[in-house]
Amino acid sequence: MKFLKNLGLVLLLAVMLVAWVLMPWQGALVLAVLLALWMLLFRSGAQTRSVAAVGISTLTQRLGSSAVIVVGIAGVVGVLVALLAMAEGYGQTLRNSGSLDTAIVMRGASANEVSSSLSREDLVQIEQAPGVARNAKGEPIISAETVTAANLPVKGSTTGDEGSAQVRGVGEAAFTVRPNVKLIEGRTFQPGLREIVVGKGAVRQFEGLRVGASLKLGNQPWTIVGIFASGDAMESELWADANVVNDTYRRGAGRNSATVKLENAAAIKAFSEALEANPQLKVKASTTLDFFAKQSEKMTQILRIIGITVGAIMAVGAVFGALNTMFAAVAARAREIATLRAIGFRGLPVVVAVMLETSLLALIGGLIGGAIAFLLFNGFEASTMAAGSVGKLSFNLAVSPQLLWEGIKWALAIGFVGGLFPAVRAASLPVTTALREA
């Protein structure tokens, strides 16, 4: 019977944890309101309130053991939120790189710009497709672009390390199709000249990227004439005239991709269908928002898996710490709990009261861990190789409210697991046995 009881308890715990993980914050708020109403309106709830008040009031007398739970859970939440903030920041940077009224066109079987190629004839056909916006002169707003890589010295390296930077050869409409790209220093490059503008994210990563400096790309000297900001993945790139980039790297007249300004967000359907129906083309088109969202999916998933795995390993240690602490606390209060049960207190109020005490400590630990993660890591600059590119992507870690809520959920789950078994033992131990042990 004891085995079956423990097995049922474990199964109940598993079901409740799954439900808790999937629960949004609104559901948790409803649960908290229902618990508060139960404690206010029902006799068993009033008993729970009385037992919990006594236990919580003695926490100051057990600062050392209580701190074990708080510090352990704070560490779990802090590390978890910090690691998940990497995935969040990376994903946000790429998602901010696109919009619904611009489209990117690549070779049909290509997963990214690096593996794509478009001929001059392809570009002419793309310009004539329906849905392409035109400027005041009636010219299609399209930037045919070449993507390549350059090895540059990493900023702050004492051993001369080099990193890969993505160089983008762009057309005259590059700033029109990406209106969020703004020059913050210097000027834009002049077509036909070996001049280049660099993103402020690249400036943070690589040495010597400043206005007026010389840069060697493709064994040719280039002059940095400007620095731009965009708030997205483009900030990690270096931009220059596509014709000059192609000449330098012997790319001919072809391009890797074409970024197109659409007449409106709804025009993507007619535009993509026209390209697919054209027998002279083997290309695919999607909004830049969809393209960059897909580019971020795999890396975001990897970073989240790493964060959750590390958090789960640390959570196991925190659970054992909470179990030991709460078993000791329950044992120290065995006489008190036995006396309460002898005078008519039921088992359920005792269980809930012990769980409330553990949950309070877990909540404090979760809040501390979340606050530390936010203060230390929100906005922290990081970089990694961007999916589907040939250069590093500079991004800022983002500790969002959703991540903080995930951290709080983990904290309360740890507190729940750590407090459940001691609480059930306190409520199920025979009164005579409890008094004898005390």
Side-chain angles (χ1 to χ4, degrees):
M1 289 298 294
K2 186 177 181 180
F3 171 77
L4 292 177
K5 179 181 177 181
N6 290 333
L7 178 61
L9 193 60
V10 170
L11 292 176
L12 175 63
L13 177 62
V15 171
M16 294 186 71
L17 285 179
V18 170
W20 177 248
V21 168
L22 299 176
M23 185 178 295
W25 67 267
Q26 295 93 337
L29 182 61
V30 170
L31 282 181
V33 171
L34 291 176
L35 178 62
L37 291 174
W38 175 70
M39 293 174 64
L40 289 172
L41 302 177
F42 294 88
R43 181 172 179 270
S44 57
Q47 291 179 348
T48 299
R49 194 168 68 247
S50 300
V51 178
V54 174
I56 293 172
S57 66
T58 61
L59 287 178
T60 55
Q61 302 172 18
R62 296 180 278 119
L63 285 178
S65 59
S66 300
V68 171
I69 299 177
V70 173
V71 173
I73 293 177
V76 173
V77 173
V79 172
L80 174 71
V81 172
L83 291 174
L84 294 182
M86 293 179 62
E88 185 71 15
Y90 181 89
Q92 281 186 9
T93 299
L94 282 176
R95 289 192 297 270
N96 290 340
S97 302
S99 64
L100 291 172
D101 62 351
T102 56
I104 184 169
V105 185
M106 299 184 300
R107 178 64 56 186
S110 302
N112 50 61
E113 291 180 277
V114 179
S115 59
S116 171
S117 63
L118 299 175
S119 67
R120 180 57 196 162
E121 291 72 21
D122 292 335
L123 295 172
V124 172
Q125 295 288 330
I126 293 169
E127 290 177 354
Q128 297 172 355
V132 178
R134 297 181 177 273
N135 59 23
K137 298 179 181 179
E139 300 168 335
I141 304 175
I142 176 173
S143 176
E145 300 178 349
T146 296
V147 175
T148 186
N151 291 325
L152 301 177
V154 176
K155 180 170 285 188
S157 174
T158 58
T159 57
D161 294 336
E162 291 188 338
S164 179
Q166 183 156 291
V167 179
R168 182 178 294 272
V170 299
E172 294 182 4
F175 288 89
T176 304
V177 296
R178 302 183 183 93
N180 58 309
V181 178
K182 306 291 184 183
L183 283 170
I184 58 175
E185 187 177 344
R187 59 175 176 82
T188 188
F189 57 84
Q190 293 186 21
L193 300 181
R194 284 198 295 270
E195 295 181 340
I196 198 164
V197 293
V198 298
K200 71 174 188 178
V203 173
R204 292 196 299 263
Q205 296 181 66
F206 301 107
E207 197 70 51
L209 299 187
R210 60 184 183 277
V211 175
S214 181
L215 190 65
K216 183 168 284 190
L217 300 177
N219 294 321
Q220 299 290 334
W222 294 68
T223 302
I224 299 174
V225 296
I227 298 174
F228 66 86
S230 61
D232 57 22
M234 299 299 158
E235 281 189 359
S236 300
E237 298 183 343
L238 290 71
W239 286 13
D241 178 51
N243 291 325
V244 182
V245 171
N246 276 29
D247 290 344
T248 301
Y249 289 92
R250 298 181 175 88
R251 293 287 190 91
R255 300 288 191 268
N256 290 103
S257 66
T259 300
V260 179
K261 179 71 174 177
L262 300 174
E263 294 175 346
N264 50 60
I268 182 61
K269 183 177 181 181
F271 177 69
S272 60
E273 288 178 351
L275 295 182
E276 292 176 5
N278 190 332
Q280 297 177 296
L281 292 174
K282 294 182 179 180
V283 299
K284 63 177 181 180
S286 64
T287 65
T288 53
L289 185 65
D290 289 340
F291 172 75
F292 284 106
K294 289 179 181 177
Q295 293 291 304
S296 70
E297 284 178 359
K298 188 173 182 180
M299 180 62 75
T300 300
Q301 289 175 354
I302 291 173
L303 293 174
R304 284 191 63 86
I305 290 172
I306 293 172
I308 291 174
T309 301
V310 173
I313 293 172
M314 295 183 65
V316 172
V319 165
F320 279 110
L323 282 170
N324 290 334
T325 299
M326 293 312 298
F327 270 125
V330 168
R333 297 170 57 197
R335 183 185 297 275
E336 170 198 328
I337 293 172
T339 303
L340 290 171
R341 292 181 58 211
I343 63 176
F345 278 65
R346 298 177 182 176
L348 179 60
V350 174
V351 171
V352 177
V354 175
M355 294 293 294
L356 285 175
E357 183 179 336
T358 314
S359 297
L360 176 61
L361 295 174
L363 179 60
I364 294 173
L367 291 173
I368 292 174
I372 292 174
F374 181 83
L375 293 174
L376 294 182
F377 296 105
N378 189 48
F380 186 83
E381 295 176 359
S383 63
T384 186
M385 288 298 295
S389 75
V390 289
K392 282 188 173 183
L393 172 67
S394 177
F395 63 96
N396 295 327
L397 274 65
V399 181
S400 64
Q402 180 61 33
L403 288 188
L404 292 175
W405 168 235
E406 286 192 38
I408 296 298
K409 284 208 295 187
W410 273 63
L412 292 174
I414 294 170
F416 183 84
V417 176
L420 178 62
F421 293 97
V424 171
R425 184 181 185 276
S428 60
L429 192 65
V431 173
T432 54
T433 303
L435 291 172
R436 188 164 51 249
E437 288 184 358

